[in-house]
Amino acid sequence: GAVVSQHPSWVICKSGTSVKIECRSLDFQATTMFWYRQFPKQSLMLMATSNEGSKATYEQGVEKDKFLINHASLTLSTLTVTSAHPEDSSFYICSARDFSLAGGLDEQFFGPGTRLTVL
Amino acid sequence: AQSVTQLDSQVPVFEEAPVELRCNYSSSVSVYLFWYVQYPNQGLQLLLKYLSGSTLVKGINGFEAEFNKSQTSFHLRKPSVHISDTAEYFCAVSDRDTGNQFYFGTGTSLTVIP
């Protein structure tokens, strides 16, 4: 089945630094990837939709200058949290679509998540 | 836009008892339906999905769900739960009218009691 990886799985950083999270589709090409944020005991909130070769589409209330998304290839999207602060601490999950699946199945495959802690 | 409601935030159930986790969504037009399970500090794992066809969908780990268009529901069931089923469960709806954007419910925490 389709596999999505994330790196790193967890990261601790100082306030004011930038952190990059990678999302890779390992065995399929993903023209579209999604970035979600999940607070403890809460659901996933879509942050942005990342399309290969074009600018990401951000959800309302998400600061595009703070959460930089780059989808440079069909298998890699990156989320950079710039000038991170403690309130950015969260669980970040990416997902990817595999449009090549039979019947045009529109399923999202989720990465294992990245736990970001900003001190 | 869709809204997805999971009516129970926490469900405790004894081991080997049946369980039903409820999910309702706002509109049944052009949707795909999913149930995901999340174990602590992990990503989401697909349990089952409804795309079309039979309204009763069987998934992994003995789970099944039934799509009810008239009631706009997609409840998840398992006839006999195990300790290992303790996890967070999310219902999700993919809305084809908005470019197949996913809408997630708030999650149901299932705790299986020995």
Side-chain angles (χ1 to χ4, degrees), chain A residues 36 38 41-44 46 59 91 93 97 105-108 110-113 115, chain B residues 32 34 36 38 41-44 46 49 51 90 94 99-102 104-106:
Chain A
Y36 295 86
Q38 186 182 29
K41 303 294 184 182
Q42 295 188 29
S43 187
L44 280 72
L46 179 64
E59 295 300 301
F91 195 52
I93 301 176
R97 280 185 185 152
L105 173 58
D106 190 29
E107 178 180 341
Q108 290 189 25
F110 288 84
R115 172 76 59 193
Chain B
Y32 297 135
F34 305 83
Y36 290 89
Q38 184 182 36
N41 294 311
Q42 295 187 27
L44 275 64
L46 180 67
K49 58 183 179 277
L51 307 177
F90 291 98
S94 173
N100 292 303
Q101 180 171 333
F102 265 49
F104 283 90
T106 50

Side-chain angles (χ1 to χ4, degrees), chain A residues 20-85:
Chain A
K20 180 184 284 187
I21 303 171
E22 292 185 349
C23 177
R24 292 182 184 272
S25 56
L26 297 185
D27 50 1
F28 67 100
Q29 293 181 331
T31 54
T32 304
M33 291 183 171
F34 303 86
W35 287 96
Y36 295 86
R37 185 174 181 177
Q38 186 182 29
F39 291 104
K41 303 294 184 182
Q42 295 188 29
S43 187
L44 280 72
M45 299 300 297
L46 179 64
M47 298 175 65
T49 301
S50 170
N51 295 298
E52 186 267 338
S54 64
K55 292 183 178 181
T57 302
Y58 290 81
E59 295 300 301
Q60 191 172 10
V62 178
E63 299 176 61
K64 59 181 67 177
D65 293 332
K66 182 167 187 62
F67 298 100
L68 300 178
I69 292 173
N70 188 328
H71 194 155
S73 77
L74 288 172
T75 59
L76 173 64
S77 176
T78 60
L79 168 67
T80 302
V81 183
T82 62
S83 187
H85 290 95

Side-chain angles (χ1 to χ4, degrees), chain B residues 24-107:
Chain B
N24 288 85
Y25 52 94
S26 56
S27 171
S28 64
V29 177
S30 302
V31 295
Y32 297 135
L33 300 159
F34 305 83
W35 274 99
Y36 290 89
V37 60
Q38 184 182 36
Y39 299 100
N41 294 311
Q42 295 187 27
L44 275 64
Q45 179 182 1
L46 180 67
L47 277 178
L48 47 78
K49 58 183 179 277
Y50 170 80
L51 307 177
S52 64
S54 173
T55 57
L56 182 62
V57 180
K58 293 189 182 297
I60 63 171
N61 301 341
F63 284 93
E64 63 179 32
E66 185 158 17
F67 169 53
N68 189 319
K69 186 173 182 178
S70 63
Q71 297 185 4
T72 60
S73 68
F74 191 57
H75 300 332
L76 181 71
R77 303 184 183 96
K78 185 169 183 178
S80 176
V81 295
H82 300 134
I83 296 292
S84 59
D85 293 324
T86 295
E88 192 81 16
Y89 292 80
F90 291 98
C91 178
V93 176
S94 173
D95 190 334
R96 284 182 273 174
D97 287 339
T98 57
N100 292 303
Q101 180 171 333
F102 265 49
Y103 299 87
F104 283 90
T106 50

